[in-house]
Amino acid sequence: MKEFFDMGGYAFFVWWSYGIVTFVMVANVIVAKMKRKRIFKQLQELSEES
Amino acid sequence: MLAIRRRRELSNPLVFFVIVVSLFPLGVSPDQDLLSKMAPGVIWVTALLATLMSMDAMFRSDYDDGSLEQLLLLPGPKILLIGAKITAHWLSIGLPLVILAPLMSLLLYFPTHAIGSLVITLLISTPILSLLGSVGVALTLSLRSGGILSSLLILPFYIPVLIFSTMAINASANSLPVSGYYALLGAFLIVSALLIPFAVVAALKVSYN
Amino acid sequence: MMQFIHKYGSPKYFYQWSYGWQRWLTVITVLLLGFGLYQGFFVAPPDYQQGESYRIIFIHVPAAWMSMFVYMVMAVSGIVALVWRIKVAEIVIGESAVIGASFTALALITGMLWGKPMWGTYWVWDARLTSELVLLFLYFGVIALHGAFEDPRTGAKAAAILAIVGIINIPIIKYSVEWWSTLHQPATVAKFDKPSMHISMLIPLLVMALAFKTYFMALLFARTRTEVLAREKNASWVKEVVEQES
């Protein structure tokens, strides 16, 4: 197990790469979901007004 | 009066070019070898920036007083009108740069036998700079802070011109054959002269949406 | 063809048919990512030259491929938007630009992290990294132009023109950067051979590339659907959708 996380001495580079990619790809999804919620709220307010 | 004001505006980028090129020896070092090596890059990058600075003038006054819209409504090919605008811009900035650059290259100890190639690359490439730049200004014409934005859009497109021009000058400084570079730059010029006016017309239509 | 484009590009119909696609693409993405990562970390052997560090390839190369692919999607939807005036295509331009820029940034960052153990420095002005950097600049331009207009439709059209000019220029930029880098290749930087891809390394690479593609499409559908609702807020079908889903 330790050997796996050590990545033959390249742990820093490998895990940072995968970490940043995961972060950005997850953040993209979260941002999209938050925007959808925000737009829905606005649309609901709009339909309640009318 | 208007003509004088415009002439002043047009000469500003040229003064900018002269000043920025002279800053490099002050900022880096007056070392002769270093400067002569950097000279093509310095002159070319500064020329790119000076061209971009002058870009806004191409359509701005005609846009502000509404005459551009009138001209676009006229029957007949709009491409010719755009072509005339771009040519006028090149005459006001590109051509003076071609004349100024050899002078400035002396300040950077650029070898005199390669000055010919500097002039030739500028002569072929500055029209490409005007052409590509016109797309940027046409797209950002209706925006208030269009100047910086259009530079942002256009600079990446200048990269091939920058690369091939400076490589040609370096090759010439090292007494290597250069005609291949000239041919490539010439091909760029012809292709962009044929295609870009159409993009400019489309961009102006969007600006007048 | 025309009818097809207009039908599938109409905001209301797009909103309906894209839902299923988005769901299935999400499921497929998760499955592919799981399989690809398992293959990449546990099945593929270490490279004989680069050891374990080569495993960055399974995300670096797909991200780099996506950076090009997304630009193409953007330019094609730009053409569709300008020629047929399809509203959904206009939205796709702006939405894909953001995703594409993030893929490009990822390709650059992972490339730098891979370069450090390989070349000894985080940055080398080699042809691929340099053209990836220029591509990032092109994305910045499209995003900045798109956002500069108050009217989103004008912004989309302007961005479309820029993207189309860009897609014509990209091959020229790539070619010039390649030429430039072969002339300037510093002697100290050893150009290492491409690792000869064993099949056990090729499978995770291709699976991950596919996963990135489906991820992009799912995200693009999701973002475009949201934006469609926002732009069509006064249409009656949007009100129905809002009532149903809340």
Side-chain angles (χ1 to χ4, degrees):
Chain A
M1 200 63 184
K2 190 179 170 296
E3 209 173 294
F4 173 74
F5 283 109
D6 192 47
M7 277 290 139
Y10 294 116
F12 176 84
F13 306 107
V14 173
W15 295 125
W16 267 105
S17 296
Y18 276 85
I20 292 169
V21 169
T22 311
F23 175 78
V24 171
M25 284 172 84
V26 171
N28 264 335
V29 173
I30 291 174
V31 168
K33 287 210 157 154
M34 273 167 43
K35 188 179 172 191
R36 186 172 174 83
K37 263 190 192 158
R38 202 180 68 230
I39 297 289
F40 251 87
K41 223 176 174 182
Q42 283 173 9
L43 290 173
Q44 273 167 357
E45 281 162 15
L46 199 76
S47 65
E48 275 161 23
E49 277 168 27
S50 58
Chain B
M1 185 61 203
L2 199 70
I4 292 170
R5 211 188 70 210
R6 283 206 55 185
R7 206 173 299 151
R8 281 223 186 102
E9 259 171 38
L10 290 174
S11 64
N12 282 346
L14 299 172
V15 178
F16 171 85
F17 174 74
V18 172
I19 294 176
V20 172
V21 169
S22 346
L23 288 183
F24 275 87
L26 300 173
V28 183
S29 98
D31 177 52
Q32 196 165 336
D33 285 343
L34 191 65
L35 283 178
S36 69
K37 247 190 194 165
M38 283 173 48
V42 168
I43 289 176
W44 253 98
V45 172
T46 316
L48 293 187
L49 297 178
T51 312
L52 281 176
M53 279 187 77
S54 67
M55 225 57 236
D56 199 45
M58 191 188 284
F59 298 119
R60 177 55 62 197
S61 60
D62 292 340
Y63 179 82
D64 286 345
D65 65 17
S67 57
L68 186 63
E69 195 169 15
Q70 303 273 310
L71 286 169
L72 284 174
L73 287 174
L74 287 176
K78 293 160 187 66
I79 303 294
L80 288 180
L81 167 75
I82 304 297
K85 284 274 169 206
I86 294 170
T87 312
H89 176 265
W90 179 73
L91 286 174
S92 71
I93 175 84
L95 198 56
L97 277 179
V98 175
I99 297 161
L100 268 176
L103 214 64
M104 297 311 292
S105 76
L106 295 177
L107 297 190
L108 300 175
Y109 306 107
F110 190 63
T112 40
H113 71 267
I115 285 182
S117 68
L118 179 70
V119 173
I120 294 173
T121 55
L122 280 167
L123 206 56
I124 307 175
S125 307
T126 43
I128 310 178
L129 302 184
S130 296
L131 281 159
L132 282 169
S134 64
V135 183
V137 266
L139 280 172
T140 54
L141 209 49
S142 59
L143 299 170
R144 219 176 306 138
S145 57
I148 296 173
L149 181 59
S150 89
S151 315
L152 231 156
L153 308 181
I154 292 311
L155 270 175
F157 294 136
Y158 280 176
I159 289 171
V161 179
L162 173 69
I163 286 178
F164 287 118
S165 297
T166 51
M167 283 204 320
I169 300 168
N170 281 327
S172 158
N174 296 322
S175 309
L176 293 167
V178 285
S179 53
Y181 296 110
Y182 296 159
L184 253 172
L185 287 170
F188 281 173
L189 175 58
I190 292 167
V191 172
S192 40
L194 289 175
L195 292 182
I196 284 177
F198 292 97
V200 175
V201 172
L204 286 175
K205 274 186 195 151
V206 170
S207 282
Y208 275 113
N209 199 29
Chain C
M1 173 79 179
M2 286 281 295
Q3 264 181 332
F4 176 82
I5 289 176
H6 277 285
K7 186 180 170 202
Y8 285 84
S10 89
K12 185 183 174 188
Y13 193 56
F14 169 82
Y15 194 82
Q16 287 165 353
W17 68 260
S18 61
Y19 180 65
W21 277 86
Q22 190 205 320
R23 295 207 78 173
W24 278 109
L25 284 166
T26 311
V27 173
I28 293 168
T29 305
V30 172
L31 291 177
L32 283 175
L33 277 178
F35 182 68
L37 287 172
Y38 171 74
Q39 290 277 323
F41 275 111
F42 299 105
V43 178
D47 186 69
Y48 74 102
Q49 241 181 339
Q50 308 179 22
E52 305 279 356
S53 71
Y54 92 99
R55 293 190 199 279
I56 296 174
I57 205 177
F58 301 134
I59 43 177
H60 169 70
V61 170
W65 283 344
M66 287 313 291
S67 65
M68 280 303 306
F69 178 76
V70 177
Y71 203 96
M72 249 168 55
V73 170
M74 200 168 72
V76 169
S77 52
I79 294 171
V80 175
L82 287 180
V83 175
W84 289 288
R85 296 164 194 278
I86 304 293
K87 275 186 191 170
V88 172
E90 286 173 13
I91 296 171
V92 166
I93 298 165
E95 303 301 316
S96 54
V98 181
I99 312 174
S102 70
F103 274 124
T104 315
L106 285 180
L108 277 171
I109 293 168
T110 53
M112 288 170 80
L113 282 165
W114 194 17
K116 179 69 178 168
M118 287 308 102
W119 294 318
T121 57
Y122 281 107
W123 186 264
V124 171
W125 287 97
D126 92 320
R128 264 176 290 170
L129 275 178
T130 310
S131 32
E132 202 68 23
L133 183 66
V134 177
L135 189 59
L136 186 64
F137 295 159
L138 293 178
Y139 273 117
F140 284 162
V142 173
I143 294 171
L145 184 65
H146 187 270
F149 290 87
E150 266 173 44
D151 173 32
R153 295 199 68 179
T154 317
K157 277 178 202 151
I161 293 175
L162 187 66
I164 294 165
V165 175
I167 204 87
I168 298 169
N169 262 285
I170 283 176
I172 302 171
I173 294 174
K174 269 193 111 84
Y175 172 65
S176 65
V177 167
E178 252 159 48
W179 193 343
W180 164 83
S181 79
T182 48
L183 273 196
H184 289 275
Q185 197 64 254
T188 47
V189 176
K191 276 193 99 178
F192 64 92
D193 297 324
K194 272 188 200 161
S196 52
M197 275 280 181
H198 188 262
I199 187 77
S200 61
M201 299 175 178
L202 201 59
I203 287 172
L205 179 64
L206 295 179
V207 171
M208 288 298 279
L210 204 60
F212 273 43
K213 213 152 268 176
T214 53
Y215 166 86
F216 160 68
M217 292 199 295
L219 187 61
L220 182 64
F221 274 129
R223 291 185 61 123
T224 308
R225 282 163 59 82
T226 309
E227 193 60 28
V228 164
L229 286 184
R231 300 257 182 108
E232 301 287 304
K233 58 175 177 256
N234 294 320
S236 58
W237 69 268
V238 173
K239 282 174 189 150
E240 281 164 28
V241 167
V242 173
E243 274 164 30
Q244 270 172 22
E245 293 191 26
S246 58

